[in-house]
Amino acid sequence: MLDKLKKMFQSQVNPGIVICSPVNGKIIPIGDVSDPTFADEILGKSVAVIPQANRVVAPVNGTVQVMFETGHAVSIVSDEGTELLIHIGIDTVKLKGQFFKAYVKSGDKVKKGDTLIEFDEAQIKSAGYDTVIPIVICNSESYFKIEGTQAGPIKELEQLIILYRS
C-alpha cells in the first residue's frame, strides 16, 4: 500500500526530468508517424515533431553517444542518464548523408541549445521523404511515468517531455 501511495504522489515529490524540444515545429501523435518502429514505440516512448526549421539542437545537457555517419540521427545520454534518440525523417538513412550536416561527433559533450544537425527540409521532401522527427526515450523502462506535451506548436527548447523516476 505504501509503495502505491509513493507512486501516486511521486510527481509532487519529484519534479521530474524535463526534455526540451530539439526543433521548432508542430507536435503530432506518435501513432501518426508512418514508420511502425516509431509509431508502435518499439525503441521506447516517443514524441514526434513536424519540423518548421532546418536545425536540431541538444534538448538536454549530456554526451553524444552516437552521431550517425549519415547525419540523419543522433543519440544522446543526458547528464541525468536519459537515453535519447533524435531521428530526422523516415527512411532518411537512404539519403546517405545528403542534405544533412552534423556539428557534433560521438563522445562530444553538449549543452542544451547546442546545434547538433542542420538539414535541408525542402530537399529531403523533394527527394520523397517524410521529415517528421521522432524523439525517443530509449531507456523508457527506467521511468514509471513519461508525459509528452500534447499536439500543437512547439518552439525549440520548450518543454516537450517530463520523465518521472520511481
Side-chain angles (χ1 to χ4, degrees), residues 83-151:
E83 299 170 9
L84 296 165
L85 172 66
I86 303 167
H87 195 283
I88 303 167
I90 303 301
D91 293 329
T92 50
V93 66
K94 294 175 183 174
L95 291 170
K96 299 180 181 172
Q98 191 176 17
F99 314 128
F100 297 95
K101 180 180 181 183
Y103 284 84
V104 294
K105 60 186 181 320
S106 300
D108 283 356
K109 291 276 190 196
V110 293
K111 292 198 181 299
K112 186 167 50 173
D114 287 352
T115 300
L116 303 174
I117 302 168
E118 286 184 348
F119 59 98
D120 189 328
E121 181 184 12
Q123 291 285 359
I124 295 167
K125 281 184 175 179
S126 72
Y129 294 88
D130 183 347
T131 58
V132 68
I133 301 176
I135 297 97
V136 182
I137 308 300
C138 295
N139 60 337
S140 296
E141 71 284 349
S142 297
Y143 304 95
F144 82 87
K145 185 176 181 184
I146 298 174
E147 294 178 345
T149 303
Q150 298 302 311

Side-chain angles (χ1 to χ4, degrees), residues 18-23 56-61 74 76 78 84 86 110-114 116 135 157-158 160:
V18 174
I19 307 299
C20 296
S21 179
V23 66
V56 167
V57 301
V60 294
N61 296 330
V74 61
I76 299 172
S78 77
L84 296 165
I86 303 167
V110 293
K111 292 198 181 299
K112 186 167 50 173
D114 287 352
L116 303 174
I135 297 97
L157 299 181
E158 283 185 338
L160 181 67

